[in-house]
Amino acid sequence: MSEAFLVAKGIAKRFGGLTALSDVDLEIRAGEVLALLGDNGAGKSTFIKVLAGAHPPSEGQILVAGQPVSFASPKDAAASGIATIFQELALSENLSISENVYLGRELKHSVLGVPFLRRKEMKQRVAELLKELDAHISDPEAPVGSLSGGQRQSVAICRALNLNAKLVIMDEPTAALAVAETRKVLALIRKLAERGCAVVLISHNISDVFEVADRMVVFRRGRKVAERLRAETELEEIVALITGAHPDVRALEKAQ
Amino acid sequence: MHRLTQATSLLTGRELILLAACVVITIAFASVSPVFATPENAATIMRNSVELLLIGLGMTLLLAMGGIDVSIGVVMGLSAIAVGRALGANLDPALAAAIGPLTGALLGLVTAAVVVLGRIPAIVGTLGLLGVYRTAIFVVLGGQWLSGLPTGLTEMLGTSLVGVPLSFWVIALAYLAVWLALRRTPFGLHLLAIGNSEEKARLAGISVTKVRFAAFLISGMLAGLAATFYVATYRNVEMTTGSTLALDAIAAVVLGGTSILGGRCSLIGTVLGVMLLRILQNGLLLIGVPSLWQTVVTGGLLIAVLSFEALAGRLSFAKLGWASR
């Protein structure tokens, strides 16, 4: 495995008196799909919000490519190459695919000081990206409102790639999708990793996770309780880790 | 949906229907009134459309962004007073002409400040401003008309180029500029994205505040330009100047296919909406319907179009928490 793109050390997050995360250490490597698992309220969503710059951590340190960073907003995180694809995809349904991919960072050229869009180039680039991702969308000019849930995920992924994201965080990317669509999105996630992107994935669907993840991290009550390579674990073990039935988790929780 | 991206396509279904409606009511009025289908009356309709075409253009931008300005007619009224006062003070007509858009732009910035910085829905913020501006007009005019203004501005702007009145060259230029801004620049994309969802636009990294300020500024400036042409044409300003224009503009723009909830707009639709409204108002007057009924017709049309779209499932006010009750 390559060197870690992002290292989180001793991350804690408290909301008033409530401790949502404590002492989480994690490494995320380029080209790797890392799944965060855990029951509702286990702390995985809070953790990705810390990585995405939406919540500043109460304690701990984040290193990106070896350099310590501190994110005041998702914009800061984006500047460090971290893109988050939210569950409710932040796409504009009334705009076309290529417009969405470039929205907020359009290609333009100046005519008499007026910035005009370079539509042709944007369209070409998006068509290439869609082809590369094997997204099965032929027309980059189609409005996003006419796309299926899975196709919209592809557009969101295109957007992240186009922003030169080195780490893509995805929150429940397959939650609202039909079976065939889920397969396509999982294939996309693998493609992202093959391109050298690090992918952090939250999912409740453990069989999806087993199909796509290289490594799994289990959260429980705000702590990281286990880390497993896919090759070295089984579905039953992961379920036991999530529910707390696993002897390792019991021992850990007794010790605290 | 598709008309947004297919900027090159000619007329959409909606626009064709509007065009057909214009033709049908023209034929109907012509068969009833002997005066309607005369070149003089056509010129009257065109002259009566100048202000509405400009204000409707600004309103199209605002509605596409999910905004609105119900004070825009009174903004034109105030700008007209500024132009009138400038003329009355024997200012150079060229300078007086510039005072219209300048005043409008200034008032547009005030509107933006109230709505954007005050974080209140545009419909409520501009309703508040409407109340303020109406009294402002009364106070400034002191209950009297501005009338018998010098003819300099009229002579300057009343000219024709290649047989087309100067006002229509200016209108064409304004529509071309706004069309380019909407379809060919990042500003247009950002405006339409905000009209779809302000939250998502913000997440995409768009500076929502800047775009909203710009749209209100442009709309105010266009209303001010309308004021300049109004004063040039009529050489007087009344207490009620512009008072029905906001309703007219919203009705015309919505008729034209621009969504009142934002995210979708049609400039050709706005032109056709304005023409339909003005032909209808003119024709009704000529067949003897009192002018008092004009706003009834406009308001009725607006309600009918929106209701039709809601019933056809193309419009859901519940989405905005606007459920009717």
Side-chain angles (χ1 to χ4, degrees):
Chain A
M1 279 280 171
S2 57
E3 204 172 302
F5 168 70
L6 184 144
V7 179
K9 282 184 191 165
I11 301 293
K13 179 67 189 173
R14 285 182 289 274
F15 297 101
L18 183 88
T19 302
L21 276 181
S22 51
D23 201 24
V24 177
D25 293 328
L26 203 66
E27 291 193 356
I28 299 160
R29 299 182 191 99
E32 173 190 55
V33 178
L34 173 70
L36 305 184
L37 295 155
D39 238 329
N40 292 334
K44 52 192 194 307
S45 290
T46 308
F47 185 69
I48 62 163
K49 279 180 181 150
V50 170
L51 293 186
H55 288 330
S58 310
E59 270 171 43
Q61 202 182 21
I62 297 174
L63 305 173
V64 171
Q67 299 298 313
V69 290
S70 102
F71 302 144
S73 72
K75 257 192 178 168
D76 291 353
S80 289
I82 300 173
T84 310
I85 298 175
F86 295 99
Q87 207 170 343
E88 63 293 355
L89 304 167
L91 300 173
S92 300
E93 292 87 352
N94 60 336
L95 301 183
S96 76
I97 295 169
S98 63
E99 288 167 343
N100 263 287
V101 169
Y102 274 97
L103 193 62
R105 286 183 59 167
E106 299 83 3
L107 301 179
K108 53 212 167 194
H109 63 267
S110 179
V111 178
L112 303 170
V114 180
F116 281 97
L117 295 168
R118 276 151 58 183
R119 282 190 178 276
K120 238 189 193 158
E121 284 172 66
M122 298 199 300
K123 189 180 151 182
Q124 259 169 19
R125 169 83 178 129
V126 171
E128 279 166 27
L129 274 174
L130 288 171
K131 209 171 169 194
E132 241 176 271
L133 289 173
D134 201 13
H136 297 284
I137 300 174
S138 51
D139 182 13
E141 295 297 283
V144 164
S146 69
L147 302 180
S148 69
Q151 289 174 319
R152 288 180 200 204
Q153 284 284 353
S154 329
V155 176
I157 291 171
C158 265
R159 183 173 160 81
L161 278 180
N162 197 48
L163 298 177
N164 280 323
K166 297 196 178 70
L167 167 62
V168 177
I169 301 171
M170 302 178 83
D171 186 6
E172 295 281 1
T174 57
L177 302 184
V179 178
E181 293 257 274
T182 298
R183 309 230 54 82
K184 259 186 219 159
V185 170
L186 293 179
L188 272 179
I189 292 171
R190 283 307 328 169
K191 276 247 165 66
L192 262 181
E194 279 161 26
R195 285 177 55 114
C197 245
V199 181
V200 171
L201 175 76
I202 287 188
S203 178
H204 275 101
N205 190 324
I206 300 177
S207 63
D208 282 1
V209 167
F210 264 81
E211 195 166 321
V212 78
D214 299 303
R215 205 151 50 95
M216 301 167 207
V217 165
V218 179
F219 280 74
R220 197 171 148 76
R221 296 178 183 159
R223 291 176 178 277
K224 182 176 116 178
V225 295
E227 186 171 334
R228 296 282 189 274
L229 289 172
R230 180 184 45 186
E232 296 168 2
T233 186
E234 280 167 37
L235 209 133
E236 287 74 21
E237 189 191 17
I238 293 293
V239 171
L241 286 166
I242 292 170
T243 58
H246 195 283
D248 285 8
V249 179
R250 284 193 177 165
L252 197 73
E253 285 178 352
K254 213 172 232 176
Q256 285 158 14
Chain B
M1 263 306 170
H2 237 77
R3 101 191 53 174
L4 260 177
T5 40
Q6 295 190 342
T8 45
S9 71
L10 280 168
L11 293 179
T12 64
R14 173 70 155 257
E15 289 150 15
L16 280 173
I17 293 171
L18 272 178
L19 192 61
C22 285
V23 173
V24 168
I25 58 169
T26 299
I27 294 169
F29 281 130
S31 65
V32 180
S33 159
V35 196
F36 182 80
T38 56
E40 292 78 18
N41 191 47
T44 303
I45 293 175
M46 294 309 270
R47 202 187 57 216
N48 286 342
S49 305
V50 169
E51 293 84 25
L52 189 53
L53 280 168
L54 289 168
I55 286 175
L57 180 60
M59 191 64 79
T60 308
L61 271 183
L62 291 182
L63 290 187
M65 188 179 69
I68 198 167
D69 188 349
V70 298
S71 72
I72 199 69
V74 192
V75 164
M76 191 197 94
L78 277 171
S79 308
I81 294 172
V83 176
R85 282 277 151 84
L87 283 179
N90 285 317
L91 209 67
D92 184 74
L95 276 178
I99 279 178
L102 227 63
T103 311
L106 211 67
L107 291 171
L109 283 179
V110 172
T111 310
V114 166
V115 169
V116 181
L117 300 183
R119 290 172 187 264
I120 41 178
I123 193 161
V124 183
T126 56
L127 190 61
L129 286 172
L130 172 64
V132 174
Y133 291 161
R134 277 166 78 155
T135 301
I137 287 185
F138 188 88
V139 170
V140 174
L141 285 181
Q144 285 182 320
W145 292 19
L146 286 185
S147 55
L149 294 167
T151 55
L153 189 65
T154 312
E155 285 155 14
M156 192 179 95
L157 297 182
T159 51
S160 286
L161 262 157
V162 214
V164 177
L166 184 66
S167 52
F168 280 87
W169 286 108
V170 173
I171 288 169
L173 215 64
Y175 270 79
L176 180 69
V178 170
W179 184 86
L180 282 173
L182 268 176
R183 309 294 186 201
R184 293 284 181 263
T185 72
F187 168 77
L189 276 189
H190 296 177
L191 184 125
L192 290 166
I194 293 169
N196 181 65
S197 160
E198 208 182 308
E199 192 47 44
K200 288 179 176 179
R202 198 167 274 130
L203 275 175
I206 291 169
S207 34
V208 174
T209 303
K210 240 193 240 167
V211 174
R212 293 183 71 198
F213 256 88
F216 279 110
L217 176 78
I218 294 169
S219 170
M221 207 169 76
L222 288 167
L225 189 61
T228 295
F229 280 110
Y230 180 92
V231 175
T233 307
Y234 302 103
R235 287 201 297 120
N236 67 36
V237 185
E238 306 165 29
M239 299 282 297
T240 54
T241 291
S243 61
T244 60
L245 271 170
L247 172 64
D248 284 347
I250 294 165
V253 172
V254 168
L255 262 173
T258 295
S259 169
I260 194 141
L261 296 182
R264 173 166 56 87
C265 68
S266 159
L267 294 185
I268 296 174
T270 294
V271 172
L272 291 170
V274 168
M275 290 329 294
L276 182 73
L277 209 60
R278 285 298 188 240
I279 292 172
L280 200 61
Q281 288 167 343
N282 172 275
L284 288 174
L285 208 62
L286 288 184
I287 63 172
V289 178
S291 62
L292 187 65
W293 285 85
Q294 288 200 348
T295 50
V296 177
V297 172
T298 317
L301 257 178
L302 176 63
I303 292 169
V305 171
L306 288 181
S307 194
F308 175 79
E309 291 193 354
L311 288 172
R314 299 217 316 226
L315 199 60
S316 171
F317 289 105
K319 184 182 107 182
L320 278 191
W322 280 20
S324 49
R325 52 186 91 139

